[in-house]
Amino acid sequence: MISSVATERCIGLMSGTSLDGVDGALVEFSDGGLRVAGFQSAPLAPDLKAELLALNTVGADELHRAALAANALVRTYTEVVQRLLEAACLAPSDIRAIGAHGQTVRHRPGLYDGTGYTIQLNSPALLAERTGIAVVADFRSRDVAAGGQGAPLVPAFHQAVFGRAGTTVCVLNIGGIANLSVLGADGGVLGFDCGPGNALMDHWCERHTGQPYDADGAWAAQGQVIPGLLDRLLAEPYLHQPPPKSTGRDLFHADWLCGHLQALPAAAPVDVQATLTELTARACALDVERHGRASRQLAVCGGGARNRHLMRRLAALLPAVQVQATDALGLPSQQVEAAAFAWLAYRALQHQPGNLPQVTGAAGPRILGALHPA
């Protein structure tokens, strides 16, 4: 846990694979603990969301478009930071740093040359200039440089907040991609991406209903799972790879889904939605069974925690496990990831590793992030 004498504050910003907006958390650190003192959200402008989605695939003039998209994203980041400061009656000088990882558009850790790369659109220098607060960024690329997958980045935070000595706890974050942290009874931590979270469900829902997401999973609950389609989706090799592993829209995108649907041109859209929801539930439940068998608790955060149908399916697939949103553990499910990036920024400022395993060497501890002074 964190050790400090006086209360210090950091802001964490999160814009994830779902592309539904930016979440910001104001986190106070004192006496070895943390408290979320403020939370704000702002949607992404439709044209920016469309551009960020388009930049996930090869296109014309990518460098120019990516730079402008990063600037636009920072404008939304700045808006969220200003809202947090105003609501808390704080000045920029009251905040030690902002943790902002940016928007992932390509993720290829370990590929091509043995190191690979991960690309997040961000302009931390611009964010520092606009807010007057130092910014810690480049979290994912720093982790890849240290031999990690660059994702997920939250397992160490999950351990700090939800870990219980002598008890195995699983924490499942369901954003655009779902990731699982297994917090071992012995203090060990395993974290990896399970597979698709909300990304495919959101895509299909918006395409066929015009709504950005399936509220409460109500539409999916009206459909019937298509067994043959579910079997084909679950046969995706990534879902059966052992950790460590990470994924994103590079694999689980609209064309991937369309390829599987070609043999089912008459499938009812509502039944496809039910199948996609079941895919997320099954992939996550299988990983809990494989890697967190000792756990009797699954704490769920991210947008998926608010999908009642998905939560019911997880509970049905894991009858021996208590499935509940992290709200029941004291941290609202929507706030977890933003709070995690405030924590990661604070750890970086303390020259402490924020990832697992905590590797040290001649260069010192493995630290996530690079500092951009205000």
Side-chain angles (χ1 to χ4, degrees), residues 214 216-224 270 273-274 277 309 312:
D214 184 7
D216 286 334
W219 189 42
Q222 297 172 27
Q224 298 293 321
V270 67
Q273 184 72 6
T277 305
H309 178 59
R312 286 194 295 267

Side-chain angles (χ1 to χ4, degrees), residues 223-272:
Q224 298 293 321
V225 172
I226 305 170
L229 175 60
L230 179 62
D231 289 343
R232 284 194 291 275
L233 298 176
L234 285 170
E236 166 58 47
Y238 176 86
L239 302 179
H240 304 280
Q241 293 175 11
K245 61 178 181 177
S246 60
T247 189
R249 289 186 184 271
D250 305 77
L251 173 58
F252 295 107
H253 48 66
D255 289 344
W256 179 85
L257 175 59
C258 287
H260 287 289
L261 288 173
Q262 287 179 353
L264 295 165
V270 67
D271 292 340
V272 174

Side-chain angles (χ1 to χ4, degrees), residues 97-140:
I98 297 168
H101 84 89
Q103 186 66 46
T104 302
V105 292
R106 303 290 168 84
H107 190 63
R108 298 285 196 274
L111 298 181
Y112 310 118
D113 62 355
T115 300
Y117 62 89
T118 183
I119 297 175
Q120 287 71 48
L121 300 187
N122 195 5
S123 181
L126 181 61
L127 181 59
E129 288 293 331
R130 285 179 173 262
T131 62
I133 302 170
V135 176
V136 182
D138 306 316
F139 294 95
R140 299 193 189 280

Side-chain angles (χ1 to χ4, degrees), residues 326-343:
T326 58
D327 303 59
L329 303 179
L331 185 56
S333 57
Q334 190 180 358
Q335 299 180 10
V336 173
E337 283 206 295
F341 281 96
W343 184 84

Side-chain angles (χ1 to χ4, degrees), residues 173-175 198 201 300-308 310-311 314 333:
N173 175 67
I174 308 177
N198 300 315
M201 292 187 286
V300 185
C301 56
R306 293 177 288 172
N307 184 322
R308 294 182 185 178
L310 177 58
M311 291 290 280
L314 285 168
S333 57

Side-chain angles (χ1 to χ4, degrees), residues 4-351:
S4 64
V5 177
T7 297
E8 296 188 274
R9 302 178 184 90
C10 287
I11 288 173
L13 299 174
M14 178 63 191
S15 52
T17 314
S18 293
L19 289 169
D20 52 357
V22 175
D23 291 334
L26 170 64
V27 181
E28 295 180 343
F29 302 92
S30 63
D31 298 325
L34 62 86
R35 182 179 78 91
V36 177
F39 183 79
Q40 296 286 331
S41 294
L44 293 177
D47 57 342
L48 175 57
K49 178 178 177 179
E51 181 70 326
L52 291 171
L53 185 59
L55 286 165
N56 278 266
T57 56
V58 176
D61 209 10
E62 287 182 283
L63 292 178
H64 173 73
R65 290 166 51 212
L68 293 181
N71 289 348
L73 180 63
V74 164
R75 286 195 285 273
T76 305
Y77 281 174
T78 302
E79 176 187 346
V80 172
V81 170
Q82 290 173 341
R83 288 184 187 178
L84 286 166
L85 294 177
E86 290 171 3
C89 297
L90 295 173
S93 59
D94 295 317
I95 309 298
R96 282 209 64 190
I98 297 168
H101 84 89
Q103 186 66 46
T104 302
V105 292
R106 303 290 168 84
H107 190 63
R108 298 285 196 274
L111 298 181
Y112 310 118
D113 62 355
T115 300
Y117 62 89
T118 183
I119 297 175
Q120 287 71 48
L121 300 187
N122 195 5
S123 181
L126 181 61
L127 181 59
E129 288 293 331
R130 285 179 173 262
T131 62
I133 302 170
V135 176
V136 182
D138 306 316
F139 294 95
R140 299 193 189 280
S141 57
R142 181 65 179 90
D143 190 51
V144 169
Q149 283 282 307
L153 293 177
V154 291
F157 175 74
H158 288 166
Q159 182 190 42
V161 176
F162 302 119
R164 295 168 55 193
T167 302
T168 298
V169 176
C170 286
V171 182
L172 178 65
N173 175 67
I174 308 177
I177 297 296
N179 57 72
L180 180 68
S181 297
V182 180
L183 315 177
D186 61 356
V189 179
L190 174 67
F192 59 94
D193 287 342
C194 302
N198 300 315
L200 295 175
M201 292 187 286
D202 290 351
H203 158 74
W204 193 253
C205 185
E206 186 165 20
R207 176 176 171 180
H208 290 279
T209 72
Q211 299 302 311
Y213 61 93
D214 184 7
D216 286 334
W219 189 42
Q222 297 172 27
Q224 298 293 321
V225 172
I226 305 170
L229 175 60
L230 179 62
D231 289 343
R232 284 194 291 275
L233 298 176
L234 285 170
E236 166 58 47
Y238 176 86
L239 302 179
H240 304 280
Q241 293 175 11
K245 61 178 181 177
S246 60
T247 189
R249 289 186 184 271
D250 305 77
L251 173 58
F252 295 107
H253 48 66
D255 289 344
W256 179 85
L257 175 59
C258 287
H260 287 289
L261 288 173
Q262 287 179 353
L264 295 165
V270 67
D271 292 340
V272 174
Q273 184 72 6
T275 306
L276 292 174
T277 305
E278 189 69 9
L279 168 64
T280 293
R282 291 281 183 97
C284 294
L286 284 170
D287 277 331
V288 172
E289 291 178 341
R290 289 169 182 151
H291 306 289
R293 185 176 295 274
S295 176
R296 292 295 174 263
Q297 182 178 28
L298 179 65
V300 185
C301 56
R306 293 177 288 172
N307 184 322
R308 294 182 185 178
H309 178 59
L310 177 58
M311 291 290 280
R312 286 194 295 267
R313 290 304 304 143
L314 285 168
L317 292 166
L318 298 165
V321 178
Q322 182 182 30
V323 178
Q324 59 185 170
T326 58
D327 303 59
L329 303 179
L331 185 56
S333 57
Q334 190 180 358
Q335 299 180 10
V336 173
E337 283 206 295
F341 281 96
W343 184 84
L344 288 167
Y346 187 76
R347 294 283 289 183
L349 293 175
Q350 301 297 314
H351 298 280

